[in-house]
Amino acid sequence: MNAESVDWGRLQKALSVEAQRGFTDVVGSQYRFSEFIQISLKNSPANLVSADIRRWQTLAAEYGRYPELTLEQRQNLLGDTRRFLLDMERVCTTTRTAANSASKQYQVVEKTEPSPARSLSTPPLNSNRSSSQISLNQALSQVSGIGSRNADKLAKLGLYTVYDLLYNFPRDHIDYARQVNIKELEAGETVTIIGTVKRCDCFSSPRNKKLTILNIVLKDSTGQIKLCRFFAGRQSNRGWQEIQKRLYPTGAIVAASGLVKSSKYGLSLDNPQLEVLDESGTIESLNVGRVVPVYALTEGITADIVRKGVQSVIPHVGLLGDPLPDSLRSRYELIPLQEAVSQIHFPRDRDILEIARRRLVFDEFFYLQLGLLHRRQGLRETQTGAVLSGKGKVINQFYKLLPFKLTNAQQRVIAEILEDLQKPKPMNRLVQGDVGAGKTIVAVVAILAAIQAGYQAAFMAPTEVLAEQHYKKLVSWFNLLHLPVELLTGSTKAAKRKQILPQLETGELPVLVGTHALIQDPVNFHKLGLIVIDEQHRFGVGQRAKLQQKGEDPHVLTMTATPIPRTLALTLHGDLDVSQIDELPPGRQAIQTTIFSGKERTHAYDLIKREVVQGRQIYVVLPLVEESEKLDLKSAIEEYQRLQEVIFPEFKVGLLHGRMSSAEKEEAIGLFRDGHTQILVSTTVVEVGVDVPNASVMLIENAERFGLSQLHQLRGRVGRGADKSYCILMTHPKATADARQRLNVMEQSQDGFLIAEMDMRLRGPGEVMGMRQSGVPDFVLASLVEDKEILILARDAAEKVINKDPTLERWPVLKSELDKRYQKLLGGAILT
Ligand code: ADP
Ligand code: MG
């Protein structure tokens, strides 16, 4: 079956008929309702992602049991099915019509996908039954005040049930307190104006008969302004237009709120929110208070439909109950859920809106933290890890080999790791440390502890360059300790693989370093006790899990050099123990960072010459032009030639880019590492982990195109030795003032955490992680930038709950709310 042959409309129709007939498994001319759905869902459209196909199949199977389900379960199942099908329809039609936006849609779908088990296993929500028969899962068409036509419209927004609508929080509010005189308006401001209607006209657009235009001229004591609202669709008939005109008769007092636009005809408000006020100038009853909600809308659905819909379900808000125990609520000074939900929609004033928001943001963070901690607890219950002692000859020998003393931070983190390893529960620890903090050594100590205890270790890095570098370091130490170590990457020769793999299976080979190649099928360990993953954020959760499955609950040590703000760390790694290497080895000098524009290029080259003459080495990094890899390559090669032939003919310049084979890359890096080339022109492939201590200048072209965290990473390639190092941020002459200001942060700070925090403020959490599937949860209200304090409180609360009652047995209502919300928050990204 392909997308074309799924009759979405018919499926939805069947589902809504069943809901309207009270979930009675309606008997049709050929089939019962449940049979019809089962047959219709037999084959999923061909172009779905696997998670959706699985979901599709689970749903079909659930209808096999439909006759046995309780009313509540039937309602749940129907709601889930309708939402899911709507999403799928969107995905299928977008894939066909606009291939480029399809991937976005997939993400959306994965994120909103409810857990297959949810509809059947979730106990009914705590409900203080209101006098009417309404339940949270009630179809909106059955709620008084919402007709079936409006219910159909709301369905287009994915809103089917009372619960959906209550939790459809506004994306903004109109504040009638922000009232401005017409004379004072300025383009670009969002304002509310109140005035009397001087003229109102409503007509079909002369150019597009389907478009209806409502023009109102509004005046106050200071001036007048034109408001335009546009209506697309059926409204083009005269009768409807007459009604509109009558809504805004001359002399009526109207509040209009929206963005002020400037055009050649002067200022105007386009598609403002309009409210007719009564004669005293107060707002009509629908919009309680002076702060009015603004909802996300789609075509054909007006703000009024959603607002009226919400207004109709608010009386049932009591059904939500409050899963949060009173003790927590009072401890963290939170208002009851019911009040928060009704006030977020129709706040009495700005202050209560803030208070309501605080409660709901707390909930979003709290259930995520509770889920993460609960999961960690669950894993600890069931898993047993190898007991690896940190005391032993090999580790002591290794310490003696080191030409330097470990920093205090390194010692502390090593101690934390060794303590974990000695417990019979598998370690799950993340080591965070700025570039150059010396994480590799920490990993090596853990690896040695595993070997000492007779176990094997795997060390996985995201790029071949990095894997090779780790391998080389390990070889240099392990040779002296008489321990074999091998490297396995995509470009390992077949003969070498043939030699390595059996040694791994017999246990003869204790350590294997490599890339993703480690998680492939023929790689089998004899007794894998520890896995180390460097630059862990570059791996998906699925890849990590795959490596874990190569042993029996091995200890897991993940490392990252990308400092991330604490808020992000908590949301992404809330189920891990975190160690910080918050100290650089002694003698490191601050890297002198300077922003240069095009004109100062010669200064930069002079500096480079001086440094090379003194025996130092230089990186020149070019930005990735994402649209075209070919273009990247061309610009990298051109720059390389220009530097070699025109600027630095007396030095040897090397070239490194992503399109080279691994052998070529390794050769280019090798030549640089050994000092044969003095200047290395590179694309961003050097970003992660490359360690050449003799390099002293990092010149970054078009620095304004990089994120701050990435610049910090790149800068970390220099300053690895004891001598002074430089980072030159070359900006394009056309770089905006904003961009340059952003770069100032780099001039002023070397603190990776501070830089990451700024980066997150400027670019948002997803971008900071630099990946599409970064696993940053999809919060509705909460912001990792603005709501840090609330997150810390929520974490604290979740810890208290889990410490008291690890399995949540004593808090069944909380547990069921958690089941309901947690997976939704984590979305598809984490549940690979
Ligand atoms: P990162 O944390 O970025 O992975 P590395 O482990 O690559 O850092 O270490 C960076 C450099 O610092 C390496 O050359 C390493 O040998 C050196 N180094 C590590 N620890 C110390 C220390 N305690 N004192 C001096 N140099 C150290
Ligand atoms: Mg490293």
Side-chain angles (χ1 to χ4, degrees):
M1 196 197 275
N2 56 29
E4 274 78 13
S5 69
V6 176
D7 191 345
W8 304 101
R10 196 153 164 237
L11 271 167
Q12 289 289 2
K13 182 89 195 166
L15 289 159
S16 69
V17 167
E18 168 72 2
Q20 278 157 15
R21 306 265 179 95
F23 307 91
T24 50
D25 206 7
V26 172
V27 183
S29 58
Q30 267 187 297
Y31 301 110
R32 300 188 77 87
F33 160 75
S34 56
E35 291 167 335
F36 171 76
I37 299 291
Q38 252 183 294
I39 292 165
S40 309
L41 293 182
K42 207 162 201 169
N43 298 303
S44 54
N47 48 348
L48 298 182
V49 295
S50 61
D52 289 336
I53 295 172
R54 276 200 305 280
R55 176 72 183 133
W56 192 283
Q57 290 162 349
T58 330
L59 271 180
E62 286 185 42
Y63 279 96
R65 298 169 46 204
Y66 191 81
E68 294 143 44
L69 302 183
T70 65
L71 178 61
E72 181 119 19
Q73 287 169 332
R74 289 181 185 192
Q75 288 175 338
N76 278 328
L77 180 58
L78 237 74
D80 283 355
T81 312
R82 298 181 74 174
R83 276 187 286 275
F84 178 70
L85 288 178
L86 204 86
D87 281 334
M88 289 303 101
E89 180 181 7
R90 231 182 282 148
V91 167
C92 290
T93 42
T94 354
T95 338
R96 276 209 313 278
T97 53
N100 57 346
S101 67
S103 62
K104 221 173 180 178
Q105 292 290 353
Y106 280 128
Q107 273 187 301
V108 170
V109 170
E110 291 197 355
K111 286 199 167 145
T112 53
E113 184 188 319
S115 89
R118 183 185 120 194
S119 56
L120 299 181
S121 63
T122 310
L125 278 155
N126 178 23
S127 54
N128 315 332
R129 290 256 164 231
S130 58
S131 51
S132 58
Q133 296 283 298
I134 295 286
S135 80
L136 286 172
N137 291 313
Q138 200 88 32
L140 289 174
S141 57
Q142 293 167 349
V143 175
S144 81
I146 304 178
S148 65
R149 276 184 55 192
N150 280 352
D152 285 348
K153 289 193 170 162
L154 292 166
K156 286 192 185 157
L157 291 167
L159 305 169
Y160 299 100
T161 64
V162 172
Y163 182 91
D164 293 345
L165 207 44
L166 286 173
Y167 266 94
N168 176 50
F169 298 147
R171 63 182 161 80
D172 209 345
H173 292 81
I174 300 180
D175 188 351
Y176 281 91
R178 285 206 183 130
Q179 204 189 316
V180 173
N181 287 331
I182 291 175
K183 204 178 84 188
E184 294 156 12
L185 293 181
E186 276 176 35
E189 287 178 329
T190 300
V191 296
T192 300
I193 49 181
I194 295 182
T196 46
V197 177
K198 197 176 158 198
R199 210 169 48 233
C200 174
D201 211 356
C202 190
F203 52 91
S204 300
S205 158
R207 266 178 275 165
N208 176 359
K209 285 285 161 229
K210 288 207 175 120
L211 188 71
T212 301
I213 302 172
L214 175 71
N215 274 342
I216 298 176
V217 177
L218 204 65
K219 69 169 187 5
D220 67 9
S221 58
T222 67
Q224 63 179 43
I225 187 171
K226 194 162 92 176
L227 316 175
C228 311
R229 284 198 71 169
F230 304 99
F231 303 92
R234 273 185 248 139
Q235 296 97 335
S236 54
N237 71 69
R238 290 228 143 245
W240 190 87
Q241 294 174 359
E242 280 308 313
I243 294 173
Q244 286 298 306
K245 277 204 274 191
R246 267 182 269 140
L247 278 178
Y248 308 102
T250 308
I253 301 174
V254 168
S257 184
L259 186 68
V260 183
K261 284 198 179 156
S262 149
S263 73
K264 51 187 168 183
Y265 308 111
L267 297 181
S268 69
L269 288 188
D270 274 1
N271 278 320
Q273 307 277 339
L274 295 174
E275 312 281 347
V276 180
L277 311 182
D278 69 17
E279 262 149 47
S280 63
T282 54
I283 290 146
E284 272 204 295
S285 59
L286 176 65
N287 305 313
V288 199
R290 296 176 72 79
V291 187
V292 177
V294 180
Y295 297 96
L297 302 172
T298 85
E299 206 188 310
I301 299 165
T302 63
D304 281 349
I305 293 176
V306 183
R307 275 197 239 156
K308 282 196 183 124
V310 175
Q311 194 84 24
S312 308
V313 293
I314 286 286
H316 308 295
V317 72
L319 293 170
L320 287 175
D322 193 341
L324 206 62
D326 286 348
S327 57
L328 288 179
R329 245 188 39 222
S330 60
R331 177 176 201 122
Y332 297 99
E333 299 178 339
L334 302 164
I335 58 170
L337 181 62
Q338 298 95 313
E339 199 188 341
V341 171
S342 52
Q343 293 295 335
I344 195 90
H345 288 291
F346 295 105
R348 275 195 305 279
D349 53 43
R350 282 254 142 207
D351 294 341
I352 186 78
L353 177 60
E354 260 326 292
I355 292 169
R357 188 180 172 279
R358 181 172 178 276
R359 162 66 206 254
L360 298 169
V361 168
F362 180 92
D363 276 17
E364 280 190 69
F365 285 143
F366 173 72
Y367 288 109
L368 178 65
Q369 292 304 321
L370 193 63
L372 289 167
L373 292 172
H374 187 250
R375 175 164 81 178
R376 172 167 83 175
Q377 193 63 37
L379 290 179
R380 285 198 177 147
E381 287 292 303
T382 56
Q383 295 180 337
T384 49
V387 176
L388 312 176
S389 168
K391 295 195 189 74
K393 233 172 60 196
V394 192
I395 291 185
N396 287 336
Q397 278 176 330
F398 172 69
Y399 286 143
K400 285 192 195 123
L401 291 178
L402 291 178
F404 43 70
K405 192 173 163 302
L406 293 176
T407 62
N408 289 334
Q410 281 171 319
Q411 290 177 27
R412 189 188 66 240
V413 172
I414 287 174
E416 285 165 355
I417 292 170
L418 293 180
E419 197 185 320
D420 283 356
L421 293 179
Q422 283 166 41
K423 291 181 191 153
K425 297 282 166 199
M427 167 174 76
N428 203 355
R429 187 171 284 280
L430 171 72
V431 172
Q432 270 202 45
D434 216 336
V435 272
K439 291 180 291 295
T440 319
I441 283 161
V442 170
V444 169
V445 174
I447 290 172
L448 291 175
I451 298 175
Q452 249 176 203
Y455 284 86
Q456 289 170 298
F459 192 170
M460 184 161 76
T463 64
E464 292 197 5
V465 167
L466 196 51
E468 299 239 14
Q469 186 179 288
H470 285 324
Y471 168 71
K472 288 214 161 104
K473 255 198 183 147
L474 260 63
V475 167
S476 71
W477 290 318
F478 283 27
N479 275 346
L480 299 170
L481 300 169
H482 309 292
L483 291 171
V485 48
E486 293 288 357
L487 175 70
L488 186 73
T489 69
S491 44
T492 304
K493 296 267 179 332
K496 187 73 183 165
R497 284 176 75 89
K498 261 200 179 138
Q499 178 205 332
I500 296 174
L501 294 182
Q503 289 180 8
L504 202 62
E505 276 200 69
T506 58
E508 203 179 325
L509 178 65
V511 193
L512 184 59
V513 181
T515 54
H516 305 81
L518 296 188
I519 57 184
Q520 274 146 19
D521 237 359
V523 180
N524 290 316
F525 290 82
H526 174 61
K527 218 174 146 192
L528 182 62
L530 169 74
I531 65 183
V532 179
I533 300 177
D534 196 15
E535 304 295 341
Q536 61 90 28
H537 60 281
R538 303 238 158 188
F539 291 98
V541 174
Q543 291 170 319
R544 242 178 285 168
K546 259 194 177 149
L547 186 54
Q548 254 164 294
Q549 280 152 22
K550 304 245 168 199
E552 276 176 33
D553 299 336
H555 295 284
V556 181
L557 180 64
T558 48
M559 307 199 290
T560 178
T562 310
I564 55 176
R566 176 151 154 77
T567 50
L568 252 187
L570 275 180
T571 40
L572 292 173
H573 312 305
D575 54 345
L576 303 180
D577 294 304
V578 179
S579 291
Q580 306 247 19
I581 309 187
D582 45 11
E583 179 188 358
L584 293 179
R588 299 267 167 89
Q589 289 193 31
I591 301 161
Q592 188 182 318
T593 304
T594 326
I595 302 170
F596 276 6
S597 69
K599 275 176 285 176
E600 295 150 313
R601 189 170 282 281
T602 47
H603 297 314
Y605 290 155
D606 289 344
L607 171 71
I608 289 178
K609 273 188 191 141
R610 265 201 325 270
E611 287 292 302
V612 176
V613 167
Q614 288 172 31
R616 310 304 302 276
Q617 289 170 282
I618 318 294
Y619 294 100
V620 175
V621 172
L622 309 173
L624 214 77
V625 186
E626 272 176 29
E627 301 88 65
S628 156
E629 258 186 74
K630 273 202 189 117
L631 216 74
D632 277 355
L633 193 58
K634 187 163 161 278
S635 67
I637 292 173
E638 278 174 7
E639 181 66 4
Y640 158 70
Q641 287 171 343
R642 192 179 73 88
L643 290 179
Q644 177 66 88
E645 286 157 24
V646 184
I647 314 285
F648 303 117
E650 68 273 40
F651 305 138
K652 271 213 74 63
V653 182
L655 174 65
L656 177 69
H657 59 73
R659 287 286 203 84
M660 289 173 149
S661 74
S662 321
E664 288 168 333
K665 276 188 211 159
E666 189 42 38
E667 192 189 340
I669 290 187
L671 286 173
F672 188 63
R673 190 180 287 129
D674 300 340
H676 294 300
T677 46
Q678 286 110 29
I679 299 172
L680 184 63
V681 177
S682 169
T683 54
T684 48
V685 284
V686 292
E687 180 188 341
V688 212
V690 174
D691 182 25
V692 178
N694 190 44
S696 65
V697 180
M698 165 63 67
L699 184 150
I700 301 169
E701 294 284 354
N702 291 102
E704 72 279 355
R705 292 211 208 153
F706 293 86
L708 294 181
S709 295
Q710 206 182 1
L711 290 174
H712 181 67
Q713 282 290 318
L714 286 169
R715 177 167 64 181
R717 298 306 110 217
V718 298
R720 307 203 129 222
D723 296 312
K724 186 160 181 69
S725 298
Y726 305 87
C727 175
I728 300 168
L729 303 174
M730 197 64 85
T731 56
H732 193 269
K734 286 197 186 129
T736 61
D738 261 9
R740 269 183 224 166
Q741 193 161 19
R742 200 160 56 91
L743 294 179
N744 283 341
V745 177
M746 296 298 298
E747 271 188 328
Q748 284 150 20
S749 176
Q750 311 259 340
D751 178 344
F753 284 95
L754 190 138
I755 289 171
E757 183 84 34
M758 291 301 293
D759 206 21
M760 183 168 82
R761 280 178 182 275
L762 294 166
R763 292 192 307 155
E767 289 296 312
V768 171
M769 296 314 289
M771 298 178 77
R772 200 164 45 86
Q773 286 250 337
S774 63
V776 179
D778 226 7
F779 297 115
V780 179
L781 292 174
S783 149
L784 289 173
V785 176
E786 307 297 335
D787 300 316
K788 191 169 171 178
E789 282 87 65
I790 307 179
L791 171 58
I792 305 291
L793 290 184
R795 169 72 173 191
D796 185 55
E799 273 171 0
K800 285 208 166 68
V801 171
I802 289 286
N803 288 344
K804 258 200 199 131
D805 181 8
T807 55
L808 298 180
E809 257 161 35
R810 281 183 286 148
W811 321 63
V813 185
L814 207 55
K815 174 78 168 59
S816 82
E817 185 71 8
L818 174 66
D819 289 343
K820 195 176 158 100
R821 299 180 60 146
Y822 176 62
Q823 301 218 332
K824 217 174 184 170
L825 265 174
L826 285 185
I830 286 189
L831 300 174
T832 330

